[in-house]
Amino acid sequence: MEVDIIGTAGEVTDERVAGKNVAVIDVFRATSVMVTAFANGAREIIPMTGIEESFRLRDEIVARHRQSGDNGPVLLGGERKTVIIEGFDLDNSPLRYSPDIVRDATIVMSTTNGTRAVNCARGAAEIYVAALLNADAVARRLGERGEDIVLVCSGRHDRFTIEDALCAGMMARYLGRHYGYKLTDIAWWCADVYRRYEDDLQQALDHCEHYHNIKGRWAEDIAWCLRRNVTDVAPHIVKEGGIRL
């Protein structure tokens, strides 16, 4: 049994994920948003790549709900270049996905990196959504399956980011220690980096370009996203194609 890590969404290929169990990570902020939304009662998140197709799918779901008498809200959430998409209901701040807004909601989501990474990994056997917020919960779910695992770091514009690597390292270390998984070179390296900075993630982030680009504007979001193991939710892709618990 082996744990591998892919450094960016752009590096995901069918060959690397086929038949594997995958966790997709985008700490700042897409998967942290998803995990928060599910912890606060969301019904389903549908990860989309394009903006126009997101609007079309939202309209289709609303029409189906009307026909079936389903009163659950249907929301559009996401961003481009960290800014809410015009016409969307929600941006990419986890703090906006509060229980009063997302409970029982279907959320059609499109982000620059995170939802793209999820869709790039569609060839995997199973796909989970992970962040620091639920890292151990997803690692346990994967470890219990006893099969090869690939942790996909979304990165930013196909460039490696430290915050995703820290989360992947945290999960790889957990899987090695608790389930006896062998770590590939990159998984061992990420696990070792996490070990060194486990007591002070901020020290590692001081070297993180993405963190410095967003910390002034999104300080509260960052503080939220850096919380570890605050929920046991383990969202995953279901056969219909959306993400559910």
Side-chain angles (χ1 to χ4, degrees), residues 28 163 202-217 222:
F28 296 154
E163 73 277 4
Q202 184 65 56
Q203 187 179 357
L205 292 174
D206 286 342
H207 304 281
C208 177
E209 179 183 4
H210 189 202
Y211 166 74
H212 286 291
N213 286 339
I214 67 175
K215 68 177 182 178
R217 189 171 185 181
I222 289 171

Side-chain angles (χ1 to χ4, degrees), residues 135-181:
D136 283 3
V138 173
R140 281 196 301 272
R141 188 72 64 90
L142 292 169
E144 288 166 359
R145 299 180 67 90
E147 299 164 346
D148 286 346
I149 294 167
V150 179
L151 306 177
V152 175
C153 299
S154 297
R156 181 174 181 266
H157 302 307
D158 290 336
R159 296 179 67 178
F160 176 87
T161 61
I162 291 173
E163 73 277 4
D164 290 346
L166 288 169
C167 183
M170 177 180 174
M171 295 176 68
R173 185 171 179 236
Y174 183 98
L175 287 160
R177 295 174 70 181
H178 293 278
Y179 292 94
Y181 272 80

Side-chain angles (χ1 to χ4, degrees), residues 70-88:
D70 189 332
N71 293 320
V74 183
L75 305 172
L76 285 167
E79 53 74 37
R80 287 297 183 274
K81 298 180 180 178
T82 77
V83 177
I84 188 171
I85 299 166
E86 184 176 357
F88 273 38

Side-chain angles (χ1 to χ4, degrees), residues 104-239:
D104 296 324
T106 298
I107 304 169
V108 179
M109 182 176 289
S110 180
T111 69
T112 306
N113 303 293
T115 58
R116 174 176 168 237
V118 172
N119 287 324
C120 284
R122 289 281 184 176
E126 296 284 348
I127 303 173
Y128 288 84
V129 171
L132 290 169
L133 298 166
N134 70 334
D136 283 3
V138 173
R140 281 196 301 272
R141 188 72 64 90
L142 292 169
E144 288 166 359
R145 299 180 67 90
E147 299 164 346
D148 286 346
I149 294 167
V150 179
L151 306 177
V152 175
C153 299
S154 297
R156 181 174 181 266
H157 302 307
D158 290 336
R159 296 179 67 178
F160 176 87
T161 61
I162 291 173
E163 73 277 4
D164 290 346
L166 288 169
C167 183
M170 177 180 174
M171 295 176 68
R173 185 171 179 236
Y174 183 98
L175 287 160
R177 295 174 70 181
H178 293 278
Y179 292 94
Y181 272 80
K182 176 186 175 182
L183 307 186
T184 63
D185 288 6
I186 187 172
W188 178 87
W189 183 85
C190 288
D192 188 60
V193 170
Y194 176 77
R195 177 191 60 79
R196 284 190 283 154
Y197 292 102
E198 181 177 10
D199 295 330
D200 187 3
L201 296 185
Q202 184 65 56
Q203 187 179 357
L205 292 174
D206 286 342
H207 304 281
C208 177
E209 179 183 4
H210 189 202
Y211 166 74
H212 286 291
N213 286 339
I214 67 175
K215 68 177 182 178
R217 189 171 185 181
W218 304 110
E220 291 184 357
D221 282 10
I222 289 171
W224 180 273
C225 295
L226 292 178
R227 301 162 75 219
R228 282 171 275 184
N229 295 326
V230 297
T231 177
D232 286 331
V233 302
H236 66 284
I237 296 282
V238 297
K239 63 180 181 179

Side-chain angles (χ1 to χ4, degrees), residues 6-63:
I6 297 176
T8 70
E11 297 173 38
V12 179
T13 63
D14 288 344
E15 181 180 6
R16 292 193 70 179
V17 300
K20 309 287 181 63
N21 295 317
V22 166
V24 175
I25 301 163
D26 186 357
V27 172
F28 296 154
R29 296 168 286 165
T31 59
S32 295
V33 167
M34 294 178 190
V35 171
T36 300
F38 281 113
N40 287 337
R43 178 192 303 180
E44 182 174 20
I45 295 175
I46 304 174
M48 304 293 286
T49 302
I51 295 173
E52 292 305 318
E53 64 180 342
S54 299
F55 281 111
R56 287 195 294 270
L57 181 58
R58 186 274 311 272
D59 293 344
E60 291 172 8
I61 296 171
V62 168

